[in-house]
Amino acid sequence: MNILEILKSKEIVSGSAIGEVLGISRAAVHKQINTLKQIGYKIKSSSKGYVLISNKNLFNEYEIESKLKKPLKICKTVKYYKQLPSTQTAVKKLAEKNFEEGFIIVAEKQTNSYGRIKRMWSSNAGGLWFSILLKPSIRPDEASKLALILSIALKRTLKEYKVDSEIKWSNDVFVNGRKIAGILVEMSAEQDRINWIVAGIGININNKLPEKFADISISLKKVLGREVDRAEFLAELLAKIEDIYNDFCNTGFEMFVEEYNWNIAYKNEIVSIDDGYNNIVSGVNLGIDKDGKLIVNTKVGLKKIISGTLRKYET
Ligand code: BTN
């Protein structure tokens, strides 16, 4: 239990009662109360104790931790920053210092965030921008499959909000034909083992989208017509990632293929895939195979594609 959970569970609670539960002095309680006030909580102090006045949609590590329903191995530590260049770069630095699996960094705003193939990623305040440090015991060539199944976790989470989404291969999540989330998986590996994986996830939640992306992106706020509690969303998503990650590490990828293909965008439609080196393959999107490769029916027969950017073919 943390101090916030205690304050939330009682109408009024004295400093000594909080101190007893947490095993700390009244002075230490006072210090923590001040920290909470500094990050935006309204707390009234009187001779009887402390009262939490309101905490409408605050987003910080206390809120995230207090909304996790059970301990998660993918979220042992969560750190929240008001601003960072990139959560991805920050977690990669920790990975290099041999931090353990389950370290998560969340930022309100990123000033130098990036997506796949180092594309610029827009990260205004109000979105959900975070990176997770993972150390799965899988072969390096399995890592790209992990990226695919993270999009399933996102899809399942959006379903909890009654939002239907599709997965645009390889790991973009779309709602109403527009991108709501993107996933970036980077790793360091030896020939036959992974040192670390950093999975970066960006989700448009309450953030205002830049004008130039208005036609291709969408936020959850826009879809639902209301603000969404990001700590709640993140806690839900992390629980889904934990389940998927455990299943994947214990059982493998095959169990996810059907669910992935069931939710894949532009299925049986003509698509083109650009491998980033000016090689473009066009054909009918037949979904992924058991290795996560995209099967495309081209004019010269079936092709299996490992990576690239997929676009719906426009005539
Ligand atoms: C993509 O669609 O290309 C992937 C986008 C990934 C963006 C996230 S936001 C959190 C993390 N920090 C970054 O700099 N990038 C990822």
Side-chain angles (χ1 to χ4, degrees):
M1 218 180 203
N2 64 32
I3 187 158
L4 193 60
E5 287 168 287
I6 301 173
L7 287 168
K8 279 183 182 174
S9 69
K10 300 243 182 327
E11 255 175 45
I12 183 159
V13 57
S14 70
S16 51
I18 297 175
E20 232 165 77
V21 177
L22 298 180
I24 56 175
S25 68
R26 277 182 62 182
V29 171
H30 188 69
K31 211 169 147 205
Q32 286 201 23
I33 293 279
N34 277 341
T35 310
L36 287 178
K37 283 182 180 168
Q38 272 161 20
I39 58 177
Y41 290 95
K42 291 200 173 61
I43 300 166
K44 223 168 93 183
S45 330
S46 73
S47 54
K48 290 191 191 131
Y50 299 107
V51 180
L52 181 65
I53 310 283
S54 79
N55 65 323
K56 219 174 152 255
N57 277 356
L58 281 178
F59 188 48
N60 54 52
E61 57 207 40
Y62 291 98
E63 287 294 325
I64 298 166
E65 273 164 11
S66 69
K67 277 166 184 154
L68 290 173
K69 292 186 187 112
K70 57 176 189 188
L72 303 176
K73 78 172 188 204
I74 62 141
C75 180
K76 294 194 196 93
T77 311
V78 54
K79 290 269 170 249
Y80 167 87
Y81 294 87
K82 276 263 166 243
Q83 182 170 309
L84 277 181
S86 154
T87 59
Q88 194 72 6
T89 319
V91 175
K92 273 164 46 180
K93 278 188 191 145
L94 301 183
E96 286 301 344
K97 287 185 186 152
N98 212 17
F99 272 56
E100 65 168 339
E101 171 165 85
F103 204 106
I104 297 187
I105 293 188
V106 187
E108 183 65 45
K109 233 170 136 179
Q110 299 179 106
T111 51
N112 200 15
S113 50
Y114 60 97
R116 283 191 302 282
I117 48 175
K118 292 280 186 283
R119 268 194 291 239
M120 171 259 178
W121 178 263
S122 157
S123 310
N124 293 333
L128 185 48
W129 325 122
F130 69 101
S131 300
I132 314 178
L133 174 55
L134 299 171
K135 296 190 171 177
S137 306
I138 55 171
R139 290 195 321 270
D141 60 311
E142 299 276 293
S144 60
K145 296 175 189 161
L146 182 61
L148 297 180
I149 60 168
L150 287 175
S151 57
I152 295 184
L154 257 165
K155 151 102 213 165
R156 289 183 187 172
T157 307
L158 286 166
K159 190 103 202 269
E160 299 281 346
Y161 286 76
K162 312 232 172 331
V163 172
D164 256 331
S165 58
E166 290 181 304
I167 303 169
K168 185 176 80 73
W169 186 85
S170 54
N171 40 18
D172 284 342
V173 181
F174 270 49
V175 173
N176 300 338
R178 292 171 186 192
K179 183 159 167 169
I180 196 161
I183 298 163
L184 169 70
V185 167
E186 296 179 286
M187 72 167 170
S188 147
E190 310 300 320
Q191 201 169 17
D192 54 358
R193 80 182 188 94
I194 290 176
N195 299 325
W196 52 257
I197 286 183
V198 175
I201 303 185
I203 313 160
N204 298 317
I205 303 270
N206 303 320
N207 52 307
K208 200 169 170 332
L209 296 164
E211 202 60 53
K212 59 179 175 186
F213 298 136
D215 293 343
I216 52 170
S217 313
I218 198 159
S219 67
L220 190 54
K221 179 178 170 184
K222 189 124 199 153
V223 179
L224 294 175
R226 64 169 170 90
E227 293 246 331
V228 172
D229 182 329
R230 285 173 291 162
E232 219 162 80
F233 189 96
L234 179 57
E236 195 67 59
L237 175 59
L238 292 175
K240 301 261 187 288
I241 294 178
E242 172 99 355
D243 286 348
I244 278 189
Y245 183 61
N246 284 336
D247 286 345
F248 172 65
C249 293
N250 297 333
T251 321
F253 178 69
E254 272 193 62
M255 66 181 290
F256 296 104
V257 173
E258 193 180 315
E259 185 174 356
Y260 191 96
N261 280 333
W262 190 253
N263 293 296
I264 197 168
Y266 313 131
K267 181 92 181 278
N268 296 324
E269 292 184 46
I270 301 178
V271 294
S272 66
I273 299 103
D274 183 346
D275 72 354
Y277 299 96
N278 287 332
N279 301 312
I280 296 177
V281 173
S282 301
V284 178
N285 170 7
L286 299 181
I288 57 166
D289 70 2
K290 63 176 184 26
D291 296 316
K293 292 181 188 150
L294 189 75
I295 312 166
V296 183
N297 193 3
T298 73
K299 281 189 182 134
V300 291
L302 290 186
K303 284 205 167 163
K304 290 190 172 187
I305 300 176
I306 304 173
S307 67
T309 303
L310 179 144
R311 289 187 188 87
K312 183 173 158 42
Y313 189 80
E314 308 284 356
T315 45

